[in-house]
Each structure stands twice: as C-alpha cells, then as structure tokens.
C-alpha cells in the first residue's frame, strides 16, 4: 500500500526525481538533505494512513512462528549465531499472552524504533515473497520486545 502511495506522490511531483533542476541548468542531487527530508515527509504522511492493527500483527507473528517449514526454516538458516534461538525464546515468552498485550508490545517496538518495516505483517509478506533478509527484521523485532 505504501509503495503505491509513494509512486503516486512521485508522479504528482511531491517526491523529487533523481535530480532537480535548480535554474540555469544546475542540478541538485537526489540525496541532498532537502530532497531526503522531503521524501521522508512524504513517506511518513503515506505511512500515517496505514494504522497499526494489533489483531492483524499478532496473527502474522503467530503465523511466522508456526510456519516451521517456511519462515522458521528460512530464518534458522539465514540468521547468524544464536539470533534465531533468541527470537524463538522471546516468542516462547509471549506466545500465550493476551492478544491486546502482545499487540501493544509489538506496536511499542515499531513506534520506539520508528520502524514500520518491523510490523509482523510486512515481515510475513516479504518472507512469503522470498525476501529472506526479512528474517533480520523479525530478529530485531523480537530482540526489542520487552521481557515477559
């Protein structure tokens, strides 16, 4: 959803293209502070419309840790050292928690780290699409959940 909103914002001219003309043929690089700040503001505005749904996020997290032949197997292979075991250990602490408590804890991590990419639904979508690097997001999410 956010990707579509960002593409629409770029087409409408709210997000700078690769270079921006600066009078008399001069160009400002797309990674200038002004352009990055503008892009960030557009991204934040688009992501504000995507409200946090505790039930959806808890369901996605439960599915991730229940999928022993999919997400779990991929993350066990992808993550170095004890990162996967640590994530599984944290899940064991939380898996029987009331949905609203777990959802609030996940929302707190996403909010504290200003990291919407750590929402379990997004991690699950990326893993389902074959993006195994999403395992790092899952490990980060779980490592930042408070102890229960």
């Amino acid at each position: 959803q956010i990707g579509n909103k960002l593409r629409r914002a770029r087409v409408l001219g709210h997000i700078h293209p690769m270079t921006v003309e600066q009078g008399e043929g001069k160009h400002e690089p797309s990674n200038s502070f002004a352009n990055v700040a503008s892009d960030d503001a557009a991204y934040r505005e688009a992501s504000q419309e995507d409200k946090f749904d505790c039930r959806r996020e808890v369901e996605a997290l439960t599915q991730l840790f229940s999928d022993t032949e999919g997400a779990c197997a991929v993350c066990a292979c992808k993550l170095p050292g004890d990162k996967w075991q640590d994530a599984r250990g944290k899940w064991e602490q939380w898996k029987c928690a009331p949905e609203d408590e777990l959802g609030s804890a996940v929302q707190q991590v996403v909010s504290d780290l200003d990291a919407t990419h750590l929402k379990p639904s997004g991690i699950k979508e990326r893993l389902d699409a074959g993006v195994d690097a999403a395992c790092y997001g899952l490990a980060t999410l779980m490592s930042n959940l408070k102890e229960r």
Side-chain angles (χ1 to χ4, degrees):
Q1 286 180 330
I2 292 174
N4 290 336
K5 291 175 185 173
L6 289 176
R7 278 190 285 283
R8 189 170 47 237
R10 187 175 301 280
V11 168
L12 294 174
H14 299 294
I15 297 178
H16 299 284
M18 294 303 268
T19 60
V20 178
E21 290 189 29
Q22 295 286 313
E24 296 190 23
K26 296 181 183 176
H27 294 281
E28 181 179 341
S30 65
N31 63 348
S32 71
F33 183 78
N35 289 346
V36 170
S38 176
D39 289 355
D40 184 60
Y43 173 80
R44 288 175 188 279
E45 183 178 328
S47 66
Q48 287 295 326
E49 296 172 15
D50 189 22
K51 297 295 180 198
F52 194 92
D53 180 348
C54 285
R55 171 172 276 160
R56 177 179 180 219
E57 300 309 328
V58 168
E59 183 178 306
L61 191 59
T62 301
Q63 289 173 355
L64 284 166
F65 281 101
S66 299
D67 185 9
T68 56
E69 294 190 17
C72 290
V74 170
C75 291
C77 290
K78 183 73 175 175
L79 296 172
D82 293 333
K83 284 194 178 293
W84 180 242
Q85 290 308 319
D86 292 346
R88 298 255 338 150
K90 188 70 70 89
W91 173 245
E92 289 299 317
Q93 293 177 24
W94 279 98
K95 71 179 181 180
C96 294
E99 183 179 276
D100 61 331
E101 184 181 346
L102 176 55
S104 292
V106 169
Q107 184 176 19
Q108 189 66 50
V109 171
V110 170
S111 175
D112 287 351
L113 298 179
D114 192 22
T116 58
H117 66 283
L118 295 182
K119 292 195 312 192
S121 59
I123 293 170
K124 184 177 181 325
E125 285 176 21
R126 290 188 297 280
L127 281 171
D128 288 349
V131 181
D132 61 358
C135 291
Y136 291 100
L138 183 56
T140 299
L141 171 66
M142 298 309 290
S143 71
N144 283 280
L145 275 177
K146 62 184 179 184
E147 296 291 326
R148 186 162 195 276

